[in-house]
Amino acid sequence: MTQSISVRQQPAISKASCQHCSLSNLCLPLALDNSEMSRLDEVVNRDRIFNRGEQVFGQSTPFRSCFAVKSGAIKTSMITESGDEQITGFFMPGELVGLDSMSDDHHASTAKALERTSVCEIPVDQLEQLVHVLPGLQHHMFHLMSQEIRNSHQLSVLLSKNTAEERIAALLLSLSSRFRRRKLSPTHFNLPMARNDIANFLGLAVETVSRVFTRFQNQGLIRARGRDIELLDLEALQVMAQGTSQP
Amino acid sequence: MTQSISVRQQPAISKASCQHCSLSNLCLPLALDNSEMSRLDEVVNRDRIFNRGEQVFGQSTPFRSCFAVKSGAIKTSMITESGDEQITGFFMPGELVGLDSMSDDHHASTAKALERTSVCEIPVDQLEQLVHVLPGLQHHMFHLMSQEIRNSHQLSVLLSKNTAEERIAALLLSLSSRFRRRKLSPTHFNLPMARNDIANFLGLAVETVSRVFTRFQNQGLIRARGRDIELLDLEALQVMAQGTSQP
DNA sequence: CGCAACTTTGAGGGCACTCAATGTTGGTGG
DNA sequence: CCACCAACATTGAGTGCCCTCAAAGTTGCG
């Protein structure tokens, strides 16, 4: 019954390649054939591990690489001049972190591991060269960056138009669909982040998040014990997430 | 003079090229030398004009082109499923619209002209081919898209952390710096958008925007007569914009 | 001149925040 | 094994910023 995070869970992927990675259908290799993938393999710096709370990169530090999450989870955040943090995104396995930094030689945000996390480091100068040679990769990079813009716009909508309940429902559904993508249960999973992070990300106070969770639970929408979450009524959550600004 | 003079004659740039465009130091040509620029010229569809309120492209319509603003101004917005609009950005001359749509074959947002606006249309399939041939352009495209992500994150910060006054100060300063980039007065300009649009963009009610404008005016920070705006105290606005969450 | 769109100003209420305190969890060392 | 602490989470009471509702004032255009 070791509920603790199992350390021994690393499959034999120390000699791993993109071709054998279980995330190849989500990550960059998605756009590549086998021979192209081996080109990518050559530049990827694998097996970088970060413990919970450790920083993958920091705001204003030199920008050299993007990072693909292999296991665990990462949050990115911006520190405002007045000193407080705003989380701009959560990144799960198969997702690429650092795309907001490609417009400068220093990072636009800070990335921290939410739990023990392994990543693939992809040096940008080599990535750009590779992109130049592989049209499929170019297209995919545009795709990813565009999606990042879209996600961020979606977040803006959430922040400016929706109530606390709607925001939290939307976040739960977003996580759900990302677990589904990975062939994991979309209705029963562990939150990688603390209530505090959820609150920060959604522009709410921690107390509000807590209250909404219990309210959802009383309504039979979810079952929550700490970070262990079960979505009991996806439809109701979807209805709630898209808001009800009826005329 | 046998030839009748058309009233709607454009200045002598009907045969215009990027090389002679006054915005070449802001727009895509920024990254290109002369010979490369002529390659770009070949694919650009110039002189598309939109009147105030006209739609440049619509959400869920097929995605074929990006648009560079030549004169005028454009707003992009997303329509939520519950029917209300969220403006995601304002685009001024020299800026590129539509980058959030490159992850799909339909547009992620709607773009409308805020005033009479001329744009250069850039078909994406040809753009992607060109990018593949011109490494400088590739780098620049990454730069632009990354910046778009960053802008959007900045907006999220604004929406979730700042008060109405702070948000409006930040918007005024953003506009100011963009006018400065174009060698126009950074302290005296015409707002391209209505109060309504400002409110929507910043996640506020129109009434709140109006109240803050008059408050700023009473404090001597700005002078506003309709859309005619003069920034009287840039420093004070900057202090206000970065919020005051002192510990 | 008159309508439509836009802007400003006022009054009152609500959602989420702040402040405050208690409950819970997980890791550490006795 | 259990006590203990720090971090995290929940719950309650009261307040404030901004929204909603309502109406008057202003601008622009046919």
Side-chain angles (χ1 to χ4, degrees):
Chain A
M1 295 298 189
T2 61
Q3 185 71 318
S4 63
I5 300 172
S6 65
V7 187
R8 54 186 172 73
Q9 196 58 300
Q10 302 288 349
I13 51 170
S14 55
K15 291 277 185 202
S17 69
C18 290
Q19 305 182 33
H20 299 100
C21 180
S22 63
L23 297 168
S24 63
N25 58 332
L26 301 176
C27 191
L28 285 182
L30 168 61
L32 305 176
D33 64 29
N34 276 339
S35 73
E36 292 172 335
M37 228 182 279
S38 59
R39 307 277 308 261
L40 179 60
D41 271 331
E42 289 165 17
V43 309
V44 170
N45 189 353
R46 241 167 281 276
D47 287 332
R48 297 208 44 187
I49 308 278
F50 296 89
N51 284 317
R52 172 183 231 255
E54 275 185 357
Q55 185 170 290
V56 180
F57 55 78
Q59 201 163 349
S60 303
T61 58
F63 171 56
R64 304 249 184 284
S65 307
C66 289
F67 296 86
V69 181
K70 213 156 68 174
S71 70
I74 285 176
K75 69 171 176 183
T76 55
S77 60
M78 297 178 77
I79 312 290
T80 70
E81 292 158 271
S82 54
D84 44 22
E85 177 187 22
Q86 165 69 29
I87 296 175
T88 51
F90 298 114
F91 294 82
M92 318 264 287
E95 299 173 356
L96 209 54
V97 186
L99 295 179
D100 60 344
S101 302
M102 295 194 68
S103 64
D104 210 339
D105 52 3
H106 59 78
H107 278 285
S109 54
T110 296
K112 280 188 178 153
L114 289 168
E115 43 188 282
R116 190 175 172 79
T117 296
S118 75
V119 300
C120 296
E121 178 173 5
I122 309 164
V124 274
D125 48 357
Q126 298 186 53
L127 178 60
E128 284 208 36
Q129 285 172 29
L130 210 55
V131 165
H132 183 55
V133 185
L134 307 177
L137 190 57
Q138 173 188 299
H139 187 80
H140 192 55
M141 283 297 294
F142 284 153
H143 181 91
L144 286 178
M145 295 185 78
S146 174
Q147 198 131 54
E148 196 75 11
I149 298 171
R150 208 181 281 221
N151 284 342
S152 187
H153 285 168
Q154 205 71 52
L155 178 60
S156 299
V157 174
L158 218 57
L159 291 174
S160 86
K161 289 276 183 298
N162 293 11
T163 65
E165 294 196 345
E166 291 159 4
R167 297 182 205 186
I168 291 178
L171 175 62
L172 290 176
L173 289 171
S174 165
L175 292 172
S176 169
S177 72
R178 285 147 87 184
F179 280 109
R180 176 180 283 121
R181 257 168 52 108
R182 290 161 57 201
K183 316 288 183 196
L184 301 174
S185 169
T187 56
H188 192 183
F189 47 82
N190 266 30
L191 294 176
M193 74 293 280
R195 298 284 189 278
N196 222 324
D197 291 328
I198 295 178
N200 184 303
F201 180 63
L202 297 177
L204 299 169
V206 198
E207 297 92 324
T208 304
V209 174
S210 194
R211 277 185 255 269
V212 171
F213 267 81
T214 55
R215 214 177 304 158
F216 279 4
Q217 204 151 199
N218 293 338
Q219 294 171 359
L221 299 179
I222 66 172
R223 197 187 55 76
R225 269 204 342 259
R227 297 191 175 188
D228 178 41
I229 297 285
E230 199 168 351
L231 307 186
L232 301 176
D233 192 342
L234 281 178
E235 271 191 43
L237 286 171
Q238 271 148 7
V239 170
M240 173 165 291
Q242 51 196 54
T244 55
S245 69
Q246 76 298 352
Chain B
M1 295 301 179
T2 60
Q3 193 166 0
S4 67
I5 296 175
S6 158
V7 182
R8 52 187 172 77
Q9 88 171 13
Q10 298 297 320
I13 52 170
S14 55
K15 289 280 184 200
S17 68
C18 291
Q19 305 181 34
H20 299 101
C21 180
S22 63
L23 297 168
S24 63
N25 58 334
L26 301 176
C27 191
L28 284 182
L30 168 60
L32 305 177
D33 65 29
N34 276 339
S35 73
E36 292 172 334
M37 229 182 278
S38 60
R39 307 277 308 259
L40 180 60
D41 271 330
E42 289 166 18
V43 309
V44 169
N45 189 351
R46 243 167 280 275
D47 288 331
R48 297 208 45 187
I49 308 277
F50 296 90
N51 285 316
R52 173 182 230 256
E54 274 185 357
Q55 186 170 291
V56 180
F57 55 79
Q59 202 162 349
S60 304
T61 59
F63 172 56
R64 303 250 185 286
S65 306
C66 290
F67 296 85
V69 181
K70 212 156 68 175
S71 70
I74 286 177
K75 70 171 175 183
T76 55
S77 59
M78 297 177 77
I79 311 290
T80 70
E81 291 158 272
S82 52
D84 44 20
E85 177 186 22
Q86 166 68 30
I87 296 176
T88 52
F90 298 115
F91 294 81
M92 318 262 287
E95 299 173 353
L96 208 55
V97 187
L99 294 180
D100 60 345
S101 302
M102 296 194 67
S103 65
D104 210 340
D105 52 3
H106 59 78
H107 279 285
S109 54
T110 296
K112 279 189 178 152
L114 289 167
E115 43 188 281
R116 190 174 172 79
T117 295
S118 75
V119 300
C120 295
E121 178 174 4
I122 309 164
V124 275
D125 49 356
Q126 298 185 54
L127 179 60
E128 284 207 36
Q129 285 172 28
L130 210 54
V131 164
H132 183 55
V133 185
L134 307 178
L137 190 57
Q138 172 188 301
H139 187 80
H140 192 56
M141 283 297 294
F142 284 153
H143 180 93
L144 286 178
M145 296 185 78
S146 173
Q147 198 131 54
E148 196 75 11
I149 299 171
R150 209 181 280 219
N151 284 343
S152 186
H153 284 167
Q154 204 72 53
L155 178 60
S156 299
V157 174
L158 218 58
L159 292 173
S160 86
K161 289 275 183 296
N162 293 13
T163 65
E165 295 196 346
E166 290 159 4
R167 296 182 206 186
I168 290 177
L171 176 62
L172 290 176
L173 289 172
S174 165
L175 292 172
S176 169
S177 72
R178 285 147 87 184
F179 279 109
R180 177 180 282 120
R181 257 169 52 109
R182 289 162 57 200
K183 315 288 184 198
L184 300 174
S185 170
T187 55
H188 192 181
F189 47 83
N190 267 30
L191 294 175
M193 73 293 278
R195 298 285 188 277
N196 221 324
D197 291 329
I198 295 177
N200 184 303
F201 180 63
L202 296 177
L204 300 169
V206 197
E207 297 92 324
T208 304
V209 174
S210 192
R211 275 184 256 269
V212 171
F213 267 81
T214 56
R215 214 177 304 160
F216 279 4
Q217 203 152 200
N218 293 338
Q219 295 170 359
L221 299 179
I222 67 172
R223 197 187 55 76
R225 269 203 343 259
R227 297 192 176 188
D228 178 41
I229 297 284
E230 199 167 352
L231 307 186
L232 301 176
D233 192 343
L234 281 179
E235 271 191 43
L237 286 171
Q238 271 149 5
V239 170
M240 173 165 290
Q242 52 197 50
T244 56
S245 69
Q246 76 296 353

